[in-house]
């Protein structure tokens, strides 16, 4: 079974600052994928970034990067130069090769202040 | 190039009624998933299809919940004899399979009165 822990219920950051959202995971599967999703107040779940367990380099997508530390079982999301539109719920999720389904954490509500 | 489409966007039903929620996945996506999201929580897995085969239904909370994908494309999640605890947002997602990212629809917000 897989498990995701997000320990920050809420984060408040000034616009243009970088922010790190924490995510730790637990799995016994050797092959797995880690995902971050953004959910604005409108409700849609937006895929941001993916990291495979065998990927040697940390994933990056524009202002998003994933700080993957396999030995620590952590997959923190880093958002650089935050914008007001980044205010949303952020979910970390994991899936294993055989399981297919996503297991989500409880989420972190990020608020960007002007 | 459309994304995952879900309908209706909102559904209000009286306790005891049956409801049907529709999901139209991204064209070419073989994998389709249903999730339930309670207010303030992360989504929780309900069921998974690969093409028309339902390969995992371990997350369905009771036998009142039933899902189908008869032609390997559109899927319907049916809830019979609805109860108040069924009130939630129901999210559908599709993917190319394996560890590829799942892309979500906007969800159906179900309210049981």
């Amino acid at each position: 079974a897989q498990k995701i822990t997000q320990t920050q219920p809420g984060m408040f950051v000034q616009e243009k600052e970088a922010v790190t959202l924490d995510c730790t995971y637990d799995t016994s599967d050797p092959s797995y994928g880690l995902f971050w999703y953004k959910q604005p107040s409108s409700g849609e779940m937006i895929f941001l970034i993916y990291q495979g367990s065998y990927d040697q380099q940390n994933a990056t997508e524009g202002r998003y990067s994933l700080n993957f530390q396999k030995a620590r079982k952590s997959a923190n999301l880093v958002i650089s130069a935050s914008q007001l539109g980044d205010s949303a719920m952020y979910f970390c999720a994991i899936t294993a090769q055989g399981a297919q389904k996503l297991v989500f954490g409880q989420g972190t509500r990020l608020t960007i202040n002007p | 190039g459309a994304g995952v489409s879900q309908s209706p966007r909102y559904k209000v039903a009286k306790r005891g009624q049956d409801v049907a929620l529709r999901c139209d996945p991204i064209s070419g996506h073989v994998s389709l998933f249903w999730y339930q999201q309670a207010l303030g929580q992360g989504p929780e897995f309900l069921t998974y299809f690969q093409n028309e085969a339902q390969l995992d239904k371990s997350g369905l909370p009771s036998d009142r919940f039933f899902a189908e994908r008869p032609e390997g494309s559109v899927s319907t999640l049916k809830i019979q004899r609805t109860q108040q605890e069924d009130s939630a947002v129901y999210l559908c997602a599709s993917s190319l399979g394996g560890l590829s990212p799942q892309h979500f629809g906007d969800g159906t917000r179900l309210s049981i009165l």
Side-chain angles (χ1 to χ4, degrees), chain B residues 14-111:
Chain B
K14 292 183 179 178
R15 190 175 54 182
Q17 289 183 331
D18 298 348
V19 298
L21 313 180
R22 176 190 167 101
C23 173
D24 198 342
I26 294 172
S27 178
H29 279 194
V30 297
S31 297
L32 185 145
F33 304 81
W34 284 98
Y35 295 86
Q36 180 190 60
Q37 187 175 23
L39 192 63
Q41 304 291 319
E44 297 212 348
F45 170 78
L46 293 176
T47 188
Y48 155 60
F49 291 85
Q50 184 171 304
N51 296 306
E52 68 278 4
Q54 189 174 20
L55 298 186
D56 187 350
K57 53 182 182 179
S58 61
L60 296 176
S62 76
D63 58 8
R64 297 186 296 104
F65 286 70
F66 172 76
E68 60 183 5
R69 193 186 184 196
E71 297 179 358
S73 179
V74 171
S75 176
T76 303
L77 176 67
K78 298 179 180 178
I79 309 173
Q80 297 176 326
R81 304 181 305 280
T82 52
Q83 300 177 4
Q84 278 199 316
E85 60 260 32
D86 300 335
S87 295
V89 175
Y90 290 84
L91 295 166
C92 176
S94 69
S95 80
L96 292 169
L99 294 177
S100 60
Q102 295 180 23
H103 297 274
F104 285 78
D106 288 345
T108 293
R109 184 176 296 277
L110 176 64
S111 298

Side-chain angles (χ1 to χ4, degrees), chain A residues 31-33 35 37 39 41-47 50 52-53 89 91 95-107, chain B residues 9-10 31 33 35 37 40-45 48 50 56 58 89 91 95 97-107 109:
Chain A
S31 178
Y32 53 90
F35 303 82
Y37 285 86
Q39 189 174 44
S41 55
S42 51
E44 70 268 35
M45 192 75 77
I46 302 166
F47 166 69
Y50 162 79
S53 58
M89 280 290 285
F91 291 99
T95 188
Q97 182 66 47
Q100 302 289 325
K101 65 185 180 184
L102 285 170
V103 174
F104 287 84
Q106 291 290 88
Chain B
R9 188 79 172 90
Y10 302 93
S31 297
F33 304 81
Y35 295 86
Q37 187 175 23
Q41 304 291 319
E44 297 212 348
F45 170 78
Y48 155 60
Q50 184 171 304
D56 187 350
S58 61
V89 175
L91 295 166
S95 80
L99 294 177
S100 60
Q102 295 180 23
H103 297 274
F104 285 78
D106 288 345
R109 184 176 296 277

Side-chain angles (χ1 to χ4, degrees), chain A residues 23-86:
Chain A
C23 171
T24 57
Y25 63 92
D26 192 20
T27 181
S28 56
D29 288 277
S31 178
Y32 53 90
L34 294 154
F35 303 82
W36 277 92
Y37 285 86
K38 173 184 178 181
Q39 189 174 44
S41 55
S42 51
E44 70 268 35
M45 192 75 77
I46 302 166
F47 166 69
L48 296 177
I49 195 166
Y50 162 79
Q51 179 84 44
S53 58
Y54 292 120
D55 293 343
Q56 295 296 315
Q57 294 195 338
N58 287 343
T60 61
E61 287 287 346
R63 293 186 300 112
Y64 304 109
S65 60
L66 201 152
N67 183 2
F68 181 47
Q69 298 188 42
K70 197 170 183 178
R72 292 187 173 188
K73 292 192 173 182
S74 74
N76 298 340
L77 177 69
V78 180
I79 306 174
S80 63
S82 57
Q83 302 172 356
L84 295 178
D86 294 334

